[in-house]
Amino acid sequence: MNKIPRHVTIIMDGNGRWARQRGLDRVFGHRAGVESVRAVFETSAELGIEYLSVFAFSEENWSRPDSEVSALMSLFIKSINNEKETFLKNGIHFRVLGNRERLSPELNAAIDDLDAATAGGTRMTAIIFVSYSGKWDIAQAARRMAAEGGDDIEKYLVTYGIPDPDLLIRTSGEQRISNFMLWQIAYTELVFTDVLWPDFRREQYLAALEEYSLRDRRFGKVK
Ligand code: IPE
Ligand code: IPE
Ligand code: MG
């Protein structure tokens, strides 16, 4: 691979369909999906990718049935607590971005704890977008910028300090952005794959990175 992106972001989609294909409840798809998250984190750290971010739960996802929302929130808490050692051992700084006000005190505490515990990690930053939407991000940035009389909106986005994604991968065959980072993906390369998220492991990830490495990025200029 001749080009390694600095920031890879992933819209993890297809957990529900993966479970349905097996006659299982959607929750089993989300659980299987956690293994895929681990696989892409590990592979990214190995390849020297500096930022790996994943869209885990959108603002719109709050409208899913209560049972699914609470299963997902429990899964986040459990995963955060389980992965602490892995993050520490691998020098990965763990962060969560999104509308934190909507998260439970227990989840917020687990996030703050892992973020603080791993803050010294310099090998890679792992970002989980939870209760996030691109329009929400731009709106909250605009409000804070107006309140402070600022003029650089980038400074107020929750992603401030994080380079814009070089590559966005979406699984499960859907070819849309679903209100993910809208401002930040202005020049991001998009790779869509039919693979459902629980089936997206190292091999599928390497294939997406390979596709990225063949892209010619021009940023509006003439080469
Ligand atoms: C992605 O899988 C995970 C979340 C959005 C939380 P889905 O739950 O959207 O799975 P499908 O799209 O219904 O298959
Ligand atoms: C996008 O998936 C959000 C996340 C992956 C967290 P959705 O399954 O919610 O998106 P739509 O509804 O198919 O656009
Ligand atoms: Mg979906």
Side-chain angles (χ1 to χ4, degrees):
M1 229 174 288
N2 53 359
K3 269 189 295 180
I4 293 287
R6 200 171 165 212
H7 180 179
V8 179
T9 193
I10 307 178
I11 301 178
M12 312 184 284
D13 200 10
N15 293 351
R17 277 162 283 170
W18 184 92
R20 197 177 60 213
Q21 284 175 358
R22 285 159 182 77
L24 300 169
D25 189 83
R26 296 175 58 82
V27 173
F28 289 90
H30 298 315
R31 279 191 208 148
V34 175
E35 291 303 316
S36 299
V37 177
R38 186 177 294 126
V40 296
F41 279 171
E42 273 173 17
T43 307
S44 300
E46 223 174 86
L47 293 174
I49 288 166
E50 288 175 66
Y51 298 86
L52 191 270
S53 60
V54 295
F55 197 13
F57 193 86
S58 69
E59 283 268 82
E60 291 79 9
N61 290 150
W62 286 112
S63 309
R64 290 189 180 196
D66 288 348
S67 57
E68 183 169 351
V69 171
S70 60
L72 280 164
M73 294 301 145
S74 307
L75 195 58
F76 293 148
I77 296 172
K78 210 175 112 195
S79 308
I80 288 172
N81 293 331
N82 283 349
E83 299 304 318
K84 192 167 178 170
E85 283 312 311
T86 316
F87 283 117
L88 282 172
K89 201 173 68 206
N90 292 299
I92 300 173
H93 180 197
F94 170 89
R95 295 184 61 187
V96 166
L97 298 179
N99 188 354
R100 296 278 303 268
E101 286 171 16
R102 296 190 74 172
L103 307 183
S104 71
E106 189 189 5
L107 179 53
N108 272 321
I111 292 167
D112 287 338
D113 177 58
L114 187 55
D115 186 327
T118 61
T122 52
R123 187 160 171 217
M124 187 176 91
T125 302
I127 302 146
I128 323 286
F129 285 87
V130 179
S131 192
Y132 177 86
S133 87
K135 288 188 180 182
W136 165 81
D137 194 2
I138 293 167
Q140 68 80 27
R143 271 194 300 275
R144 293 198 296 129
M145 183 169 76
E148 288 182 20
D151 58 9
D152 181 1
I153 195 155
E154 302 244 1
K155 281 194 183 139
Y156 298 90
L157 295 169
V158 293
T159 49
Y160 181 56
I162 298 167
D164 287 344
D166 300 293
L167 167 64
L168 180 150
I169 302 167
R170 182 169 187 151
T171 58
S172 88
E174 311 298 350
Q175 302 195 358
R176 54 178 171 260
I177 300 301
S178 298
N179 204 359
F180 191 32
M181 285 185 265
L182 296 176
W183 178 282
Q184 298 89 338
I185 61 167
Y187 267 103
T188 300
E189 293 295 326
L190 310 177
V191 170
F192 297 101
T193 166
D194 288 338
V195 177
L196 301 176
W197 179 249
D199 292 326
F200 192 89
R201 300 288 161 95
R202 183 185 172 87
E203 186 193 335
Q204 292 75 18
Y205 184 39
L206 291 175
L209 291 168
E210 182 71 38
E211 192 174 331
Y212 167 83
S213 79
L214 302 172
R215 299 278 176 90
D216 180 19
R217 304 183 75 189
R218 291 189 288 277
F219 300 98
K221 297 170 193 157
V222 174
K223 271 214 179 144

